[in-house]
Amino acid sequence: MTDPQVIVGLEVHCQLNTESKLFCGCSTDYRNDGPNTHVCPVCLGLPGSMPVLNKKAIGYAMRVAKAISCEVLPESEFSRKNYFYPDLDKAYQITQYDKPLAQGGYLEIEGDEGGGKRVRITRIHVEEDPGRLVHMGNAERGKYSLVDYNRAGIPLIEIVSEPDMRSPKEARKFLNKLRATLEYLGVFDSEKEGSLRVDANISIVGSERVEVKNITSYKGVEKALTFEVTRQKNILRRGLAVDRETRHFLEARGITQSARSKEQEHDYRYFPEPDLRPLHVQSWVAGITLPELPDARRERFIAQYGCSLNHARTLTGELRLANFYENVVSPDPGGLANSAATWIADTLIGELNYRGMSLDTVHAKDFTALVRLITKGTITDKSGVEVLRVMLDQRMGGGAHETPAAIISRLNLAKTAGDDGALAAVISEVIKENSKAVEDYRNGKNGALNFLVGQAMKKTRGRSDPGELNRMIIRMLGDREA
Ligand code: ZN
Ligand code: MN
């Protein structure tokens, strides 16, 4: 729920999905390689090395600016942000300060109150990532730390919002929408480890603002903010004051913890980066063509496939999911659109999350086949879930996998046909074994009918359709007194 007392603003760092780093030719594809293997004099900050700006990174950042209605400034500039920390080889970070790439703009989210809500964007700037420290033991008491500069110089875009969100949930929605937008633009891959980092500012009206630094997951943002709302409100309830401070989020424990006092902006001694010229790229904006973005795709899913608003929202909320849905229904949009939307949004996503699996491991063709078998009535919905689980477990296992049809025949899950003798025989048995329930049913107790259907379901191990059993039992028991 929206809480008028809660004020949240976000600073989101996203890795731009370029092939090389921001100021040198080193590859950004380092995740399968050893530490310090993707480095050169520039990203190691060796004396005399000169940065050369990656044009593609600027182009990507400008696509984002255009998509969220920011104004690209006629002149922007890189600055040095000076601070000393072992992951920062040069002892400064090349970033943008008083002349960012773009400013203004907004992102529309579904507000807690329902309906669209605009979260204003303050600015977008481009900067390089520092390296990464690997602490041996824990950060406070470990014996030593190792440094890996493979990440140093990775291009980031920092998107700063106005404090327009009124709950941790709205912050989560903002992030989800931002992620979807960036993925649709083809400039970001949310599944890459380390691709997102969020600093969240949160305060209770009339109190000091707290900054929670370096949250690295989407869920983490909502959790950290929820923790802060409770913590800050408790302080105020006791008549105390909330300190203005920086805190860290300890993801594993779900709490935030005060960080040692942090530099103030003026401690960074920002000054213009002398090795890079100012940027004059505003004229590029007109030439940028944007692809279909999440809102437009959501509306198209409703119009073209007849999706419900909720399904359309879920399905278009992630690029992979939207593409998967369209792949699944493409062989027969008329026949599959509706049931595929339901099976993906209401069942598949949950089953994937439960297993911590990525959608990429599911084959659209197999899923189409499964949805077909369910809509044709070959198996019941209940068996459909069972088949899906087997399919996912096999994919997760990484070994051989079967088609849905093969799973159905191996597990003998095909629906028992309604008018064949088998089902009638099952119902006769149920009627014979449950004379008390039969009597109750005849006396007008509807609960007894459900009981009988349940018994028959059990005997057919879920392979029969409850609606059909219902009808057959009523028919076989004949008239009853009203
Ligand atoms: Zn390099
Ligand atoms: Mn930053």
Side-chain angles (χ1 to χ4, degrees):
M1 276 298 287
T2 302
D3 184 338
Q5 298 282 92
V6 173
I7 301 173
V8 177
L10 298 177
E11 297 173 21
V12 188
H13 290 87
C14 299
Q15 176 176 344
L16 292 171
N17 210 8
T18 56
E19 278 152 52
S20 55
K21 292 185 178 180
L22 188 53
F23 299 117
C24 62
C26 291
S27 159
T28 57
D29 186 16
Y30 63 83
R31 286 173 179 81
N32 295 318
D33 297 327
N36 300 305
T37 51
H38 292 241
V39 292
C40 73
V42 173
C43 56
L44 285 176
L46 300 187
S49 64
M50 295 285 263
V52 177
L53 182 58
N54 182 335
K55 187 174 176 185
K56 202 168 192 180
I58 298 301
Y60 279 6
M62 291 180 67
R63 294 174 76 149
V64 177
K66 188 164 183 174
I68 59 179
S69 310
C70 289
E71 183 209 0
V72 172
L73 297 179
E75 177 170 290
S76 52
E77 182 176 79
F78 284 98
S79 292
R80 289 188 182 181
K81 179 180 181 177
N82 299 280
Y83 64 98
F84 180 76
Y85 200 69
D87 68 0
L88 193 65
D89 38 26
K90 304 191 290 289
Y92 62 83
Q93 177 194 27
I94 304 180
T95 177
Q96 296 191 293
Y97 183 50
D98 46 1
K99 290 183 179 174
L101 183 75
Q103 65 186 22
Y106 64 89
L107 192 66
E108 190 161 302
I109 61 168
E110 184 210 338
D112 281 350
E113 316 287 300
K117 168 173 178 165
R118 283 185 176 188
V119 175
R120 290 168 298 154
I121 304 295
T122 317
R123 56 187 257 144
I124 296 180
H125 70 251
V126 177
E127 63 184 31
E128 60 175 344
D129 211 4
R132 197 166 71 92
L133 288 181
V134 183
H135 302 293
M136 296 292 124
N138 80 42
E140 307 302 324
R141 284 182 300 277
K143 285 213 171 68
Y144 59 96
S145 300
L146 298 172
V147 66
D148 178 5
Y149 290 121
N150 281 351
R151 270 202 79 83
I154 294 276
L156 304 179
I157 178 173
E158 181 174 333
I159 299 162
V160 181
S161 88
E162 291 289 312
D164 286 347
M165 288 152 278
R166 291 289 167 271
S167 71
K169 205 171 152 204
E170 281 192 350
R172 172 87 184 271
K173 284 182 188 159
F174 174 84
L175 276 183
N176 285 343
K177 189 60 172 288
L178 187 62
R179 168 179 61 182
T181 305
L182 265 52
E183 288 197 329
Y184 277 59
L185 289 169
V187 304
F188 175 66
D189 183 351
S190 67
E191 293 202 353
K192 267 190 190 158
E193 167 263 315
S195 62
L196 171 105
R197 273 193 321 274
V198 179
D199 300 337
N201 291 303
I202 173 158
S203 62
I204 306 297
V205 169
S207 283
E208 289 287 0
R209 184 168 64 118
V210 168
E211 186 180 23
V212 185
K213 289 290 257 187
N214 256 319
I215 313 170
T216 54
S217 74
Y218 298 86
K219 275 185 202 152
V221 171
E222 190 176 352
K223 273 194 217 155
L225 289 173
T226 305
F227 177 85
E228 273 303 303
V229 170
T230 311
R231 189 186 70 85
Q232 294 180 23
K233 284 190 168 175
N234 282 341
I235 290 173
L236 296 172
R237 213 168 280 142
R238 294 200 299 269
L240 303 169
V242 176
D243 290 331
R244 181 176 184 131
E245 62 173 346
T246 300
R247 298 178 70 86
H248 289 307
F249 178 53
L250 308 180
E251 176 116 43
R253 294 167 60 194
I255 63 167
T256 68
Q257 196 176 57
S258 184
R260 273 160 300 178
S261 77
K262 215 209 123 196
E263 291 89 349
Q264 306 260 308
E265 281 295 279
H266 64 255
D267 293 331
Y268 289 125
R269 296 174 295 120
Y270 284 97
F271 62 86
E273 165 61 62
D275 292 338
L276 290 165
R277 301 163 68 86
L279 281 175
H280 299 107
V281 291
Q282 199 185 45
S283 62
W284 296 6
V285 176
I288 297 173
T289 348
L290 295 176
E292 184 183 44
L293 292 173
D295 287 351
R297 200 165 189 184
R298 182 192 64 219
E299 295 313 308
R300 180 166 66 78
F301 275 23
I302 294 172
Q304 184 177 342
Y305 300 114
C307 289
S308 69
L309 176 60
N310 267 339
H311 281 163
R313 218 178 244 152
T314 305
L315 294 171
T316 58
E318 274 178 58
L319 181 64
R320 281 179 171 81
L321 206 51
N323 289 343
F324 182 78
Y325 174 71
E326 295 213 89
N327 280 341
V328 166
V329 302
S330 62
D332 175 17
L336 295 168
N338 194 18
S339 45
T342 307
W343 276 88
I344 293 170
D346 299 344
T347 308
L348 177 63
I349 295 174
E351 294 290 333
L352 287 172
N353 288 342
Y354 175 72
R355 289 169 178 74
M357 279 173 83
S358 151
L359 187 64
D360 294 345
T361 47
V362 186
H363 288 209
K365 229 177 89 192
D366 287 344
F367 197 82
T368 303
L370 173 64
V371 173
R372 273 224 165 100
L373 290 163
I374 299 166
T375 30
K376 266 193 346 206
T378 308
I379 53 172
T380 61
D381 284 3
K382 191 162 176 270
S383 303
V385 176
E386 202 176 330
V387 174
L388 178 63
R389 286 179 180 156
V390 174
M391 285 164 64
L392 295 181
D393 289 341
Q394 288 180 346
R395 289 285 176 190
M396 195 162 67
H401 60 268
E402 300 166 286
T403 61
I407 296 169
I408 290 167
S409 84
R410 180 168 58 81
L411 298 179
N412 194 18
L413 290 172
K415 218 194 264 183
T416 313
D419 29 30
D420 92 21
L423 198 51
V426 166
I427 294 175
S428 302
E429 257 178 68
V430 169
I431 290 174
K432 214 175 290 164
E433 289 164 11
N434 298 282
S435 49
K436 172 81 172 71
V438 170
E439 198 187 316
D440 285 348
Y441 167 75
R442 293 215 161 99
N443 290 329
K445 279 193 192 150
N446 281 322
L449 179 60
N450 293 337
F451 174 79
L452 292 168
V453 171
Q455 293 303 304
M457 285 288 280
K458 222 188 239 171
K459 277 192 193 283
T460 61
R461 302 194 348 266
R463 284 174 300 154
S464 43
D465 179 61
E468 201 167 346
L469 282 174
N470 212 23
R471 282 188 297 278
M472 282 187 73
I473 292 174
I474 292 174
R475 201 166 62 228
M476 287 173 68
L477 286 179
D479 292 335
R480 61 172 176 169
E481 335 197 335

